[in-house]
Structures are given as structure tokens and as C-alpha cells.
Amino acid sequence: MSVTDQGVVEAVECRSSESPAPVLESLEGREVHLGSLPVLRVLPLRQRRMVGPWCFVDRFGPLTFQGNLMDVAPHPHIGLQTVTWLLDGEILHDDSLGCETITRPGGVSVMTAGAGIAHSERTPEENSHRLDGVQLWIALPDATRNGNPGFAAIKRVPLLDLPGGKVRVFAGSAMGVSSEALHYSPTVGIDIELGPRGSLEIPLTPGWEHAILVLRGDVALERTELDSGHLHYLGTQRQSAALSSHDGGRLLILGGPPFPEKILMWWNFVARTPDELIAAREDWMEHRRFSEVKAYRGPRLDAPSLAGFRPRPAG
Ligand code: MN
């Protein structure tokens, strides 16, 4: 795969631009390719860089395949948590701490990069030939972003089986249940599966901002149909989200307090200054800071050239 296909190659300056009131902004995602894997990227977008601490959202699948679909060789991260959430299929994770896990539907994998970690992500040899899910990044706040790396595989997140549908909380707390995963600033990530003619009112924290990503089927918010190719930003000051579906649908709600710090993203790094990004790139290329992913046989990914490194002002 081409390294330029991976991560955010152009440096993107991100600052929260929360709406002081409820809104419904539907922002079109764009298709990118991770090797042979087509992905819909709905964060960061030119019009919106963050939702709470969430700073990156890739949607992949649903798709069926033969052989090995995903093979992302070892690559580094700093300053963020990755959150991998699957609806179908499986992903084998190996990292520089020696952690290995297979992420499966119903469980969540949370990798804390802190000052630096490297990992690979592959389709395991024994697999269902299907893949459907999201990979999300959460920016770490300044107080913890240079801390120790860590990895947590949670096999089963809380599930509420309600008359209108199923609610799974894969980050933070909602409706009285909490994910076990440790996060470093307030955040929420909820997967909602609405049955045919199903409806659910999901309570929200009014001071937080939220967004919806439709994963499957049809979903309406207060009778406005939401499509699956857009990130639907809800603004702040909402008490709840009234969701419904005709034939059944599935969606994510992501949210958190507007992130109080300006971040700078480049490739797989979240930092604050260009110098930090350049130093992390150099450390990766010189085999410093980031330990090797010993479980992966084959070359690691090279960092993209700095030629494309032009920090853009927040739009
Ligand atoms: Mn990664």
C-alpha cells in the first residue's frame, strides 16, 4: 500500500468550533483508500475538524472478500487513542508493547499512544471474509498526551436491549451504563441499532457537542432522514436525540465537551506544534522512541515525505 493512503498526510490544524445551540449540519465524507480497502472519512473535514475530543473517523465496509483484505504494516502514533469498533468481521492487532488481540463485533479495542506506540492491523488468517466497522481517534489532552502507551481489548461492551432497539456504549457512559475503557477527557461513543419501526430517545449531555454517523439502513432524527455518506453534526444544548427507523437502521453517536486545546494532526500523529510532528517522524524513521512490532513479519511503513507538510489554518 502507498503510505500516502494512510492517515492524514496534509497537516491539519484542528480547533473546536462548537455551535452554541442545536443545529443539524450534514457534512459530506470523502472516499480514501487504505491499500485495497475503501474507506469513508468523515473526520477531519474541511468544515469540521473535531466533535468533542473525537478527531478522526474512518468508516469501512460492509464488504465481503477472499484472502487477506487488511494488512496495515507497523506504523507509529502519538498523542491520541485509537478506538476500533466492528459490526462484522475481525481485525488482528499487534503492537510495540507486545499486545496481540483480535477485535470482534460487540467488543472494543482502545490503544493509547501517549508519547509513542507502533502497531499493525491485519485480517487474521481465520476470518469470516467480511468486514464492517469504524476506526476512530480521540485526541489526548495536554496533561496526558506525553504519557505511557497502553492497550485495552474489551471483549463485550454494555448492551441495553430496549423495545425500540439495542444500545451499545463503546466509549464513556450513557443511559446508566459505562464502557470499561479508560479515556482521558470526557467523551461518549454509542452504537444504536433500531429495529423496523423502532424509535429511541437517547439522552445527551446539553453542554457537549454531538454528531451522528449512519452505519446501515434508514435513520431519522426528529423525522429528518439522515444519510450514511455524511457526518451529521448536532451542535450543543440538546437534551436528547429522538431517533427512528422505518425498516431498521444502525448509527453511532459521538460526543464530548468542545475540545479546549488546538491540535495539529499529520499522518498518524496528533500534536500541538510542527516541531513535535517533525521530531516524531524522525524518531520513527531512525528507529528511536517507537519499539518494534515483533509479531509482524515484513517491512514497516515509512513516514510520508515532509514535502506535503504544510500546516493549514483552521477553517
Ligand atoms: Mn494505526
Side-chain angles (χ1 to χ4, degrees):
M1 66 176 281
S2 154
V3 291
T4 55
D5 289 342
Q6 211 231 349
V8 180
V9 172
E10 199 173 349
V12 178
E13 194 178 79
C14 307
R15 97 171 62 224
S16 144
S17 52
E18 82 271 19
S19 164
V23 292
L24 180 56
E25 286 173 11
S26 296
L27 307 170
E28 193 173 9
R30 62 206 156 91
E31 194 173 298
V32 296
H33 281 84
L34 302 183
S36 57
L37 179 64
V39 162
L40 180 77
R41 184 157 297 159
V42 294
L43 260 189
L45 295 174
R46 189 174 47 78
Q47 309 95 318
R48 181 154 300 281
R49 302 292 171 74
M50 299 185 81
V51 176
W54 301 95
C55 60
F56 180 94
V57 178
D58 264 3
R59 164 85 178 111
F60 43 85
L63 43 87
T64 57
F65 60 91
Q66 292 300 322
N68 269 7
L69 177 74
M70 182 183 264
D71 187 358
V72 184
H75 59 277
H77 287 283
I78 65 166
L80 58 84
Q81 289 186 304
T82 63
V83 176
T84 304
W85 175 249
L86 296 181
L87 282 66
D88 202 356
E90 48 284 299
I91 295 176
L92 171 65
H93 159 101
D94 282 287
D95 64 38
S96 50
L97 301 171
C99 296
E100 176 169 283
T101 198
I102 296 179
T103 307
R104 300 180 191 279
V108 70
S109 291
V110 178
M111 183 179 77
T112 303
I117 197 168
H119 73 148
S120 61
E121 295 155 290
R122 288 175 278 174
T123 299
E125 215 156 287
E126 272 180 41
N127 63 72
S128 60
H129 307 289
R130 295 190 301 273
L131 190 63
D132 190 3
V134 288
Q135 188 172 87
L136 315 161
W137 296 357
I138 297 174
L140 288 171
D142 199 45
T144 52
R145 70 189 180 95
N146 292 311
N148 290 331
F151 180 78
I154 288 149
K155 292 297 167 202
R156 204 138 296 279
V157 307
L159 166 64
L160 300 171
D161 201 347
L162 304 168
K166 294 187 171 80
V167 176
R168 297 171 176 89
V169 178
F170 63 87
S173 302
M175 303 177 82
V177 295
S178 301
S179 163
E180 283 172 47
L182 188 58
H183 298 290
Y184 295 89
S185 57
T187 184
V188 71
I190 316 170
D191 175 309
I192 298 150
E193 194 176 348
L194 296 164
R197 310 235 163 250
S199 63
L200 280 173
E201 184 148 3
I202 306 294
L204 302 177
T205 305
W208 293 14
E209 52 183 359
H210 297 88
I212 291 176
L213 178 65
V214 176
L215 303 174
R216 280 183 188 170
D218 69 275
V219 172
L221 172 72
E222 284 137 23
R223 297 201 187 84
T224 302
E225 200 77 30
L226 306 178
D227 72 68
S228 60
H230 288 72
L231 183 76
H232 303 280
Y233 178 72
L234 306 185
T236 60
Q237 303 307 322
R238 284 183 188 264
Q239 304 288 335
S240 65
L243 300 161
S244 58
S245 178
H246 279 289
D247 300 320
R250 196 155 171 182
L251 67 140
L252 299 184
I253 296 180
L254 304 174
F259 199 67
E261 302 165 33
K262 191 175 76 179
I263 67 171
L264 196 59
M265 292 175 70
W266 180 77
W267 194 35
N268 294 306
F269 303 142
V270 172
R272 299 296 182 273
T273 66
D275 285 351
E276 289 175 359
L277 296 172
I278 291 164
R281 179 188 183 280
E282 203 170 289
D283 286 347
W284 174 248
M285 296 306 283
E286 300 298 324
H287 294 252
R288 295 189 299 251
R289 184 190 322 200
F290 306 95
S291 306
E292 302 302 322
V293 182
K294 294 202 176 83
Y296 189 91
R297 293 181 210 295
R300 22 184 248 166
L301 290 184
D302 283 336
S305 151
L306 281 174
F309 186 84
R310 294 181 303 275
R312 289 185 295 171

